[in-house]
Amino acid sequence: MKAWRDGDCDGGGDEWAEEVELTKQAVEAVNQLRPRPRFMVLCGDLVHAMPDTPFREGQERDLKAALKGADPSIPLVFVSGNHDLGNTPTPSTVEQFCSAWGDDYFSFWVGGVLCLVLNSQLFYDASACPQLKEAQETWLEEQLSRASSSSTEPKPKHILVFQHIPLYLKSPDEEDDYFNLQRVVRQNLLDRFKKAGVKAVFSGHYHRNAGGCHGGMDMVVSSAIGCQLGNDTHGVRVVVVTADNIIHRYHSLEQLRARGMDEDLRKLLQA
């Protein structure tokens, strides 16, 4: 947040006490939710400091310390972002991330829902690590094919994708931007996700709330716990999964700590 205020987003970031406090507030708010969330996901840019830069070690240490307050019954899911891997990731920066936070792409099941966590930097610029891109592509194709196969048992009730960079911010045919994936890459993923039956893609990166729904698939862009680049407030998105739908809404930290999730969302969970 200080780096943004100072206009030095690549080199700044020598203060992060505000972010630590906001993270603790987010953890406190999530811990209080009833029923308890099945998991909490951080959609990338876990820290501000790029790989191999000053403050990186300190920021990772302090984030881990803040997250230790999370209720042990709520698993934490970490998605890699451009600040975590670098805008052009290398085998070394990916290895550093995996050592600190776990795999950069993986799948897991929760209540019959298949969740895919992807490394979107490999979609954005894999020029320094083409083999890693190829490995993720092979893995992703296997996951999507298996999920959509008529012979697959069990069949996912829903398929959700988590990646840092959004496919798009407002419309699938929008121009290329720093905050979205290039159109040719975007269309390829959109086609594959829709064919497999993906219900929603959740992303960060934009530091503002955005997204849309096209062809029955939600593109959900959530703002940040920390630095806001628009008019949103520090917050988290609450996602309710029912047999038929994925319902999601951004809540400010202040609201979530004081009142919990919106009443209509809570009622969906009791139905």
Side-chain angles (χ1 to χ4, degrees):
M1 288 157 64
K2 184 199 175 195
W4 175 252
R5 287 195 297 267
D6 291 351
D8 185 13
C9 286
D10 289 332
D14 59 334
E15 295 177 13
W16 55 88
E18 287 176 284
E19 286 85 349
V20 169
E21 179 55 35
L22 289 164
T23 303
K24 289 178 178 177
Q25 290 176 19
V27 167
E28 176 191 332
V30 171
N31 284 345
Q32 291 174 356
L33 288 174
R34 294 294 182 275
R36 280 210 172 88
R38 299 298 295 269
F39 61 91
M40 177 181 177
V41 56
L42 280 72
C43 273
D45 284 358
L46 307 180
V47 296
H48 173 80
M50 292 282 191
D52 304 316
T53 63
F55 318 125
R56 171 77 170 213
E57 191 176 323
Q59 288 179 13
E60 287 193 332
R61 180 193 62 233
D62 288 354
L63 175 57
K64 288 180 178 180
L67 292 173
K68 277 186 177 174
D71 189 298
S73 70
I74 306 173
L76 300 177
V77 177
F78 300 111
V79 180
S80 59
N82 59 301
H83 280 262
D84 304 310
L85 301 172
N87 288 316
T88 304
T90 68
S92 174
T93 64
V94 172
E95 184 181 347
Q96 287 173 39
F97 174 86
C98 292
S99 176
W101 302 103
D103 292 340
D104 57 322
Y105 60 91
F106 55 96
S107 64
F108 61 97
W109 289 77
V110 178
V113 175
L114 174 61
C115 300
L116 303 177
V117 173
L118 303 180
N119 178 347
S120 57
Q121 290 309 121
L122 298 178
F123 300 136
Y124 191 77
D125 182 1
S127 57
C129 55
Q131 290 174 313
L132 296 183
K133 176 185 180 180
E134 188 176 327
Q136 178 175 247
E137 284 290 341
T138 300
W139 173 87
L140 176 59
E141 194 53 44
E142 288 174 355
Q143 294 285 322
L144 295 175
S145 296
R146 192 181 309 144
S148 59
S149 170
S150 58
S151 61
T152 299
E153 292 294 340
K155 194 84 174 163
K157 295 176 183 175
H158 303 295
I159 306 171
L160 306 179
V161 170
F162 300 92
Q163 61 183 58
H164 180 61
I165 303 177
L167 298 172
Y168 60 85
L169 300 174
K170 294 180 180 177
S171 170
D173 58 2
E174 68 195 18
E175 294 298 318
D176 292 355
D177 186 277
Y178 173 77
F179 288 110
N180 62 21
L181 288 177
Q182 300 94 326
R183 290 175 76 164
V184 61
V185 176
R186 178 194 319 161
Q187 196 57 55
N188 174 270
L189 288 170
L190 278 167
D191 292 344
R192 292 161 68 192
F193 288 169
K194 288 179 182 177
K195 182 181 177 184
V198 172
K199 200 69 172 280
V201 178
F202 293 91
S203 296
H205 194 47
Y206 192 43
H207 293 252
R208 286 155 283 204
N209 289 306
C213 184
H214 294 269
M217 188 182 83
D218 274 353
M219 178 63 250
V220 187
V221 185
S222 295
S223 197
I225 291 172
C227 184
Q228 303 297 318
L229 302 188
N231 298 318
D232 300 295
T233 186
H234 310 288
V236 298
R237 187 171 296 271
V238 175
V239 182
V240 172
V241 179
T242 68
D244 301 315
N245 292 305
I246 311 293
I247 304 98
H248 52 85
R249 194 170 303 153
Y250 191 79
H251 291 62
S252 72
L253 294 182
E254 185 179 343
Q255 175 198 342
L256 208 56
R257 291 170 76 209
R259 305 194 302 275
M261 74 175 88
D262 291 338
E263 186 63 28
D264 60 326
L265 294 183
R266 192 181 291 110
K267 285 179 178 176
L268 285 171
L269 292 167
Q270 297 165 350

